[in-house]
């Protein structure tokens, strides 16, 4: 059965390499499509691994004031101003232990809380150079409570063994715009699909009326939970295999071209 946009009520987008290209930009045509969707009465929002502090200044303002978003790898449901509606954060003692392990092994990480993303040098300086004007603070200022997710680069077997041994942790293998591997660590039971259900209930929009867009492994449960899942052309193979539709590459304006076509009445 051919599906039309009019059969759905909402569209939710991953950010990196889905809504944005590999230059971390949202193409003008994609912004135009988002505006048209909103003006046509569709609920639009984000479903991202990014922490709220990373998207608050530059990405959230691009969405309507009545929008709600899944952030921090599924650890938080927030409103358009970044206020927390619901969250499932990592155990405080586990975060304390992880900080100690990373320090003793001379490793870096970014800890994502609602108010800021926390890191030590040299990662902190890199975060402050990000074009999205992310809210970033020194790790020394961070308390161990209410950490939604932890980004850890340069993974190895010892690190993975440590993460796996803590029963409060869950993690996803990921890669950045340059193909470098990292893991996103969240609380057990926290993923995008879990918080998508909170989003659905909060707005009164059934899951089967949501179109989801993504490209990475942390989008897998999210896309499976949506009524229609769309994978970017640059998506990892596991995402393409479970998607209802695979569209163009993010660097070839794939999202905007697809959105404008379905807005004009073409089949999903």
């Amino acid at each position: 059965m051919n599906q039309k946009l009019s059969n759905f009520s909402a569209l939710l987008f991953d950010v990196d390499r889905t809504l944005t290209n590999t230059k971390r930009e949202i193409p003008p045509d994609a912004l135009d499509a988002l505006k048209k969707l909103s003006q046509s009465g569709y609920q639009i929002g984000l479903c991202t691994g990014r922490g709220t502090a990373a998207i608050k200044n530059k990405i959230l303002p691009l969405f309507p004031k009545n929008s709600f978003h899944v952030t921090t790898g599924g650890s938080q449901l927030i409103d358009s101003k970044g206020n927390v509606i619901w969250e499932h954060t990592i155990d405080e003692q586990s975060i304390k232990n992880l900080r100690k392990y990373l320090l003793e092994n001379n490793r870096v990480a970014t800890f994502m809380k609602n108010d800021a993303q926390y890191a030590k040098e040299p990662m902190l300086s890199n975060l402050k150079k990000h074009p999205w004007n992310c809210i970033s603070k020194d790790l020394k200022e961070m308390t161990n409570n209410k950490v939604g997710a932890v980004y850890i680069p340069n993974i190895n077997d010892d690190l993975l063994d440590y993460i796996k041994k803590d029963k409060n942790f869950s993690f996803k293998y990921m890669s950045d715009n340059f193909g470098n591997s990292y893991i996103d660590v969240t609380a057990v039971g926290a993923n995008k699909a879990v918080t998508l259900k909170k989003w659905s209930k909060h707005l009164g929009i059934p899951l089967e009326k949501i179109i989801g867009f993504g490209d990475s492994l942390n989008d897998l449960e999210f896309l499976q939970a949506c009524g229609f899942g769309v994978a970017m052309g640059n998506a990892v193979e596991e995402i393409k295999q479970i998607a209802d539709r695979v569209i163009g590459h993010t660097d070839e304006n794939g999202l905007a071209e697809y959105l404008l076509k379905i807005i004009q009445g073409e089949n999903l």
Side-chain angles (χ1 to χ4, degrees), residues 168-189:
N168 293 309
F169 288 144
S170 178
F171 71 94
K172 295 281 190 182
Y173 290 101
M174 303 287 287
S175 62
D176 63 19
N177 289 350
F178 307 101
N180 300 312
S181 298
Y182 66 93
I183 57 173
D184 272 339
V185 180
T186 58
V188 166

Side-chain angles (χ1 to χ4, degrees), residues 26-261:
I26 303 179
D29 287 349
L31 289 174
D32 182 52
L34 292 179
K35 185 177 180 180
K36 289 180 178 178
L37 287 167
S38 180
Q39 290 174 339
S40 298
Y42 293 97
Q43 186 75 34
I44 58 173
L46 301 170
C47 193
T48 178
R50 287 280 184 174
T52 300
I55 61 174
K56 188 173 183 178
N57 289 330
K58 294 291 185 178
I59 306 298
L60 284 185
L62 302 175
F63 285 78
K65 292 181 179 180
N66 67 341
S67 60
F68 292 85
H69 312 274
V70 175
T71 69
T72 326
S75 296
Q76 291 186 329
L77 173 64
I78 64 168
D79 65 17
S80 61
K81 294 183 179 180
N83 299 312
V84 176
I85 306 300
W86 178 90
E87 63 184 349
H88 181 187
T89 56
I90 301 172
D91 176 76
E92 187 172 343
Q93 186 62 48
S94 292
I95 290 296
K96 183 179 179 179
N97 294 341
L98 177 59
R99 290 177 67 175
K100 181 181 178 182
Y101 172 87
L102 295 172
L103 180 63
E104 291 175 347
N105 290 274
N106 195 30
R107 299 187 64 91
V108 294
T110 300
F111 292 79
M112 303 178 197
K113 299 185 67 170
N114 185 254
D115 67 311
Q117 45 187 8
Y118 291 84
K120 68 176 186 177
E121 296 293 355
M123 183 173 281
L124 179 60
S125 293
N126 290 332
L127 291 173
K128 290 184 175 181
K129 294 175 184 176
H130 198 285
W132 298 350
N133 190 24
C134 305
I135 305 169
S136 306
K137 295 182 180 180
D138 195 302
L139 185 57
K140 295 176 183 178
E141 302 177 43
M142 190 187 85
T143 59
N144 294 322
N145 65 321
K146 295 188 179 298
V147 175
V150 187
Y151 157 88
I152 309 178
N154 306 317
I155 56 175
N156 59 25
D157 290 341
D158 289 342
L159 171 65
L160 288 176
D161 286 343
Y162 176 85
I163 296 297
K164 290 175 181 178
K165 287 177 181 177
D166 191 314
K167 299 188 182 301
N168 293 309
F169 288 144
S170 178
F171 71 94
K172 295 281 190 182
Y173 290 101
M174 303 287 287
S175 62
D176 63 19
N177 289 350
F178 307 101
N180 300 312
S181 298
Y182 66 93
I183 57 173
D184 272 339
V185 180
T186 58
V188 166
N191 63 54
K192 291 183 178 183
V194 169
T195 311
L196 176 68
K197 293 174 184 177
K198 303 290 183 181
W199 187 98
S200 170
K201 184 176 181 180
H202 188 77
L203 284 146
I205 297 175
L207 293 173
E208 59 268 25
K209 293 293 185 178
I210 301 171
I211 304 173
F213 297 78
D215 72 293
S216 299
L217 284 177
N218 66 352
D219 295 313
L220 193 146
E221 296 94 345
F222 156 50
L223 296 185
Q224 289 177 320
C226 289
F228 195 88
V230 180
M232 300 301 298
N234 48 279
V236 298
E237 194 59 34
E238 293 91 334
I239 296 302
K240 290 180 179 179
Q241 289 177 359
I242 60 94
D244 296 295
R245 177 73 183 270
V246 178
I247 61 174
H249 194 287
T250 187
D251 285 337
E252 298 171 357
N253 220 21
L255 179 64
E257 290 181 358
Y258 176 72
L259 290 177
L260 292 172
K261 286 179 180 179

